[in-house]
Amino acid sequence: MTRILLAGLILIGFSSCDLSLLPEDSVTPLQFFKTRADLELWTNQFYTMLSNPNTDAGVNADDMIDKSMGAVIEGTRSPASESWSWTQLRNINYLLEYSSNCEDEAARNEFNGVALFFRAYFYFDKVRRYGDVPWYDRTIGSTDVELLNKPRDDRGFVMDNVLKDFRDAANLLPTEYPNTKNTRVTKWVALAFASRAALYEGTFRKYRNMEGAERYLQAAAEFAREFIDNSGFDLYKGGSQPYRELFYSDNAKTEEVVLARSYNFAGLQLSHSVQFSISNNQQGFTRRFINHYLMEDGSRFTDQPGYETMFFTDEMKNRDPRLEQTVLGLNYVQVGETQPTLNDLTAYCGYKPIKFISNKDHDGASKGTSDWPLMRSAEVFLNYAEAKAELGTLTQQDLNISVNRLRARANMPNLEMAAANSNPDPYLESCYPNVNKGGNKGVILEIRRERTIEMVMEGLRQWDLFRWKEAEQMLNHYVPYHGLYIPGVGSYDMNGDGTPDLEVYETTSVTQLDIKVRIERDIFLSNGTSGYIVGFPKVTYGTDWNNDRDYLWPIPADQRVLTQGALSQNPGWQDGLSY
């Protein structure tokens, strides 16, 4: 208990965002960091940096929308409201400076590895948002005026340090923590996140014709391949619907989930609100997303005659099994229930998510107890395939150890590289117009298809569109938010049993059906009384989207003032300052 109190005093001394603060209590660094317990206690705070389900599961893009579209789509980012914190970076560097107090070399190496992982994680997030940022690998004192007013470092310099930190962390961290399963960072966690970071930087550069793209893509492939060959992680394949079960499990599936947030309301008093938010925010998928799913025989849904106006009961049939494990379809029965749940069109665009939906005990706010996957082996497989495809070095064997493992889990046919490249999908070409022409265009599009459906609602889609330079695709100024197709006023069978379940009417209901939807009140249709359900039909997002400006966030104006202009502003953002 004494050690916990001492650590608490130290943490209080560093609770400010000011990088120049020093501890003002009686505990000094030389009195702490002496034991494994000290190091572990200090590094536990770093785990709060990891993303959380309440944020990630509700990030809107081109695949999903809800009541609150978010600052990027709504265009509400500004230098005046933007803020950043560097407190955790100081805490990370502080440990790295004083961990030498501990004579236990194994413990020192292990927790240095934890700190290096989180420094890389911290800076990768900063680079994704701001581009160039100042790099600090030491704590800063109040007299370090030059460092306190340091300008931004080039993003390439920072990302090189990020990848080095991930690599060094992987070399120091253990391969597993037997008693905590997948809730602690390990060697494999470091390699997996390194593949994510390197792929982001490589594709960001490639689709902007920036130097260094190939080097980062090669690094992404190498990190991912080391993980694939040596980690022992596979895919969860249990049950009749393994993909669905993976995401509502109270205990993360350790075969696949490399790092997870653990939730346990009864024991740990920790919970999330993902299930509540899906319903309360009316989260719904777009038809653009639904169209990504192949037919179960591997053929393209968008090659089917009349796919554009196909009704719900027809478009849901004979598709990739992951569709009905992600979207409320024809045969959905909630966990713990015996009767099917019908699609009542209350979700935006008409397609309601069931990914992450557990039993009804999780329906309320802060009632979710399913563990949250922060990194899955599935993503590493996809990172590997994409990096190799973008490099132009992809082989069929590469696909077999990556994408085709995902397809096998879903009982889908293999992706064949030669077939994909000889006949690129026109629908995917329209979704991703910036994919470069070339021999690998078709397979790049197919890998994006796989990533889109496999990783949906896991917090990556908006970032993917950013790195691919396709963000206009998530703004209805360019692409309307179209959903389920309604042929017109009338009664509809929503589960394919031949009996009407839902009435769509214009002014007056004429049936006794339990589910009734009124046009121009409950739903808006693209052709008035028929057509696609339209999300936000009276609001336009993205009319002033600027590629030079909006792919980065603005540097906070107050930080520019504090540094007297040493921190430059990102192009296109106006903060009213003269420097």
Side-chain angles (χ1 to χ4, degrees), residues 225 381 384-385 388-389 392-405 407 412-422 440 442-443 446-447:
R225 185 60 186 261
F381 298 165
Y384 177 72
K388 294 283 283 185
T393 59
L394 184 75
T395 67
Q396 185 61 45
Q397 178 58 24
D398 291 328
L399 286 176
N400 292 342
I401 65 172
S402 58
V403 170
N404 287 335
R405 293 169 75 173
R407 290 202 174 185
M412 288 291 291
N414 279 349
L415 170 59
E416 299 294 336
M417 180 175 172
N421 284 333
S422 66
N440 265 1
V443 78
E446 291 301 326
I447 292 168

Side-chain angles (χ1 to χ4, degrees), residues 490-510:
S491 299
Y492 293 94
D493 170 17
M494 298 303 290
N495 64 358
D497 65 358
T499 302
D501 310 297
L502 174 145
E503 179 189 5
V504 176
Y505 68 98
E506 187 175 6
T507 55
T508 304
S509 170
V510 296

Side-chain angles (χ1 to χ4, degrees), residues 58-238:
V59 176
N60 292 309
D62 64 326
D63 58 344
M64 187 180 76
I65 64 172
D66 64 18
K67 289 180 179 178
S68 177
M69 295 298 284
V72 170
I73 294 176
E74 292 176 354
T76 56
R77 293 176 292 172
S78 82
S81 60
E82 187 69 17
S83 63
W84 62 17
S85 172
W86 297 74
T87 304
Q88 288 289 32
L89 176 63
R90 177 181 175 82
N91 293 334
I92 290 165
N93 286 335
Y94 201 75
L95 179 131
L96 291 169
E97 288 181 10
Y98 290 103
S99 63
S100 57
N101 292 354
C102 180
E103 295 181 358
D104 182 342
E105 182 179 5
R108 189 169 65 246
N109 287 339
E110 176 182 328
F111 291 103
N112 279 349
V114 173
L116 289 168
F117 170 85
F118 279 104
R119 186 165 70 185
Y121 183 94
F122 173 92
Y123 264 112
F124 173 48
D125 180 63
K126 285 287 187 286
V127 170
R128 283 193 305 184
R129 293 175 68 89
Y130 304 109
D132 299 346
V133 289
W135 170 264
Y136 295 105
D137 57 5
R138 50 160 290 189
T139 56
I140 304 173
S142 59
T143 60
D144 294 324
V145 178
E146 184 176 350
L147 288 176
L148 288 169
N149 294 287
K150 182 180 178 180
R152 300 156 69 190
D153 287 302
D154 177 77
R155 68 180 293 152
F157 171 79
V158 178
M159 285 302 297
D160 287 348
N161 281 305
V162 164
L163 298 186
K164 180 179 184 302
D165 275 357
F166 275 135
R167 167 52 68 190
D168 290 345
N171 292 339
L172 292 171
L173 287 165
T175 57
E176 63 178 348
Y177 286 88
N179 297 324
T180 57
K181 299 297 182 181
N182 49 7
T183 59
R184 293 278 180 176
V185 296
T186 64
K187 174 186 185 74
W188 312 122
V189 172
L191 291 175
F193 276 89
S195 75
R196 177 189 288 182
L199 179 65
Y200 189 96
E201 189 65 14
T203 47
F204 187 93
R205 288 172 178 269
K206 177 175 179 178
Y207 286 98
R208 290 160 178 81
N209 297 314
M210 296 168 61
E211 292 184 1
E214 289 191 2
R215 181 165 61 86
Y216 289 105
L217 291 170
Q218 184 63 40
E222 290 172 357
F223 283 125
R225 185 60 186 261
E226 184 175 351
F227 177 97
I228 291 169
D229 288 346
N230 302 315
S231 72
F233 279 94
D234 196 358
L235 300 175
Y236 175 69
K237 300 168 186 173

Side-chain angles (χ1 to χ4, degrees), residues 453-480:
I453 62 179
E454 177 71 28
M455 305 304 299
V456 67
M457 296 180 72
E458 296 183 51
L460 296 176
R461 182 62 176 179
Q462 195 173 96
W463 290 121
D464 285 344
L465 294 178
F466 266 56
R467 64 189 179 88
W468 295 331
K469 204 177 182 183
E470 299 282 11
E472 292 98 330
Q473 306 299 316
M474 65 184 181
L475 304 166
N476 66 351
H477 175 67
Y478 303 96
V479 182

Side-chain angles (χ1 to χ4, degrees), residues 315-369:
E315 69 173 329
M316 296 296 288
K317 292 178 181 176
N318 304 319
R319 303 285 291 277
D320 181 330
R322 285 172 292 185
L323 176 58
E324 289 215 49
Q325 296 178 49
T326 304
V327 184
L328 195 158
L330 306 183
N331 305 297
Y332 170 65
V333 178
Q334 187 172 357
V335 179
E337 302 300 308
T338 58
Q339 296 300 314
T341 299
L342 295 175
N343 185 351
D344 58 8
L345 304 187
T346 55
Y348 272 67
C349 294
Y351 300 107
K352 187 172 184 176
I354 62 166
K355 187 172 178 176
F356 303 116
I357 300 296
S358 183
N359 59 47
K360 290 186 175 179
D361 291 341
H362 291 204
D363 283 349
S366 299
K367 294 295 184 181
T369 57

Side-chain angles (χ1 to χ4, degrees), residues 510-525:
V510 296
T511 75
Q512 299 301 312
L513 296 174
D514 292 334
I515 305 175
K516 299 179 181 182
V517 176
R518 183 174 177 176
I519 298 172
E520 299 290 325
R521 184 191 67 185
D522 303 313
I523 58 173
F524 292 83
L525 301 178

